[in-house]
Amino acid sequence: MIRKQAVPMLTPLAIAVLALLEEGPMHPYEMYQVLLHRHEDELVKIKPGSLYHTVARLAEQELVVAEGTDRAGNRPERTIYRIKSAGREALRARVAELLRQPVNEYPIFPVALAEAHNLPVDDVVALVRERVTWIESRIAELDALRGMVSARQVPRRFWIEIDYVRAVQAAEVAWLHGFIAELTSGELAWEDFCPDTGERSAQPAATMGSDWAAALTDEDIAAVRRGGAR
């Protein structure tokens, strides 16, 4: 059973590096190549400079240790790192923490949704349809990737994130289709904009408009956190 404990603050890239070193010692350039080969850049932002900095930081934290060098041809020597027991414990604890409790990652799309009322409804519909097309193509890629790894009998525990990402994107597409239907039917009221100037035909309502959240009291917030119970 995973127990709660003080968990070192590991970035997504640090998690990826420790997970690689759990498989075996590597030098940073090899880590970079393996991460790209496995398409881990779909999950983690990977740049050579950032990766080298992350490895150095993990070494400072005594989670990994340099244990030798490697030379290929005329290339410079490269330092090989291995994970320490403290690094293994930190990796497991951090993964457990992230599995246990959601973290607000501040994705940018909800920001765009929150400010979509600044655009004419026809523009919003067209733009969201473009987004749906893009996501559906991404889902098709994930389906193809899933078929490949499944056919090669790669144990599913190593690519379970593909199923998760696909499920999340399919849910977003379903929601966006409903959003488009509300907009095109007029069920979701929208502001009018002058087609010539692009200005709003009327000023936003002074109450319960873009500042609706400002009207919430401390009691309201407490009720929300209780799931709506008063």
Side-chain angles (χ1 to χ4, degrees):
M1 179 179 178
I2 300 293
R3 296 181 179 179
K4 290 186 178 181
Q5 56 182 293
V7 181
M9 183 54 64
L10 298 177
T11 65
L13 186 54
I15 293 172
V17 167
L18 288 175
L20 279 181
L21 294 181
E22 176 74 338
E23 298 178 25
M26 296 184 192
H27 54 71
Y29 183 74
E30 182 181 7
M31 297 177 202
Y32 177 72
Q33 293 294 321
V34 172
L35 288 171
L36 292 184
H37 180 71
R38 294 179 179 178
H39 302 285
E40 292 286 334
D41 53 327
E42 295 283 349
L43 303 175
V44 180
K45 189 173 183 179
I46 302 170
K47 292 184 177 180
S50 298
L51 191 145
Y52 279 83
H53 175 77
T54 295
V55 173
R57 178 61 178 158
L58 292 172
E60 290 174 2
Q61 294 174 310
E62 297 185 346
L63 301 180
V64 304
V65 63
E67 68 166 14
T69 58
D70 178 42
R71 181 191 294 273
N74 295 324
R75 295 177 180 174
E77 288 187 345
R78 292 171 173 152
T79 303
I80 297 174
Y81 291 85
R82 65 173 174 81
I83 193 170
K84 298 179 68 175
S85 58
R88 185 172 296 109
E89 292 173 5
L91 171 64
R92 294 176 179 177
R94 183 62 172 150
V95 170
E97 179 185 56
L98 293 173
L99 288 173
R100 176 183 292 119
Q101 184 173 344
V103 176
N104 192 344
E105 298 172 344
Y106 301 100
I108 195 66
F109 182 58
V111 177
L113 277 177
E115 302 303 334
H117 59 85
N118 289 294
L119 297 176
V121 65
D122 290 344
D123 289 358
V124 175
V125 169
L127 293 167
V128 172
R129 281 176 173 159
E130 283 187 40
R131 184 180 183 89
V132 168
T133 298
W134 189 94
I135 296 175
E136 287 177 339
S137 68
R138 179 63 180 140
I139 290 174
E141 292 176 5
L142 291 170
D143 286 340
L145 182 58
R146 188 185 190 283
M148 288 179 185
V149 294
S150 181
R152 295 174 184 179
Q153 299 183 334
V154 179
R156 188 163 171 255
R157 65 181 179 276
F158 292 119
W159 49 270
I160 191 68
E161 75 280 2
I162 296 176
D163 284 349
Y164 172 78
V165 172
R166 188 198 186 285
V168 170
Q169 297 203 339
E172 180 176 335
V173 165
W175 189 90
L176 291 175
H177 278 303
F179 181 44
I180 292 169
E182 288 186 89
L183 292 174
T184 55
S185 69
E187 180 183 353
L188 178 55
W190 211 257
E191 296 176 69
D192 292 325
F193 290 77
C194 175
D196 298 323
T197 66
E199 297 292 332
R200 286 185 172 87
S201 300
Q203 289 300 313
T207 59
M208 295 306 290
S210 57
D211 288 335
W212 64 270
L216 296 179
T217 65
D218 290 343
E219 290 75 15
D220 292 327
I221 298 299
V224 168
R225 290 173 177 166
R226 291 194 301 268
R230 299 294 299 207

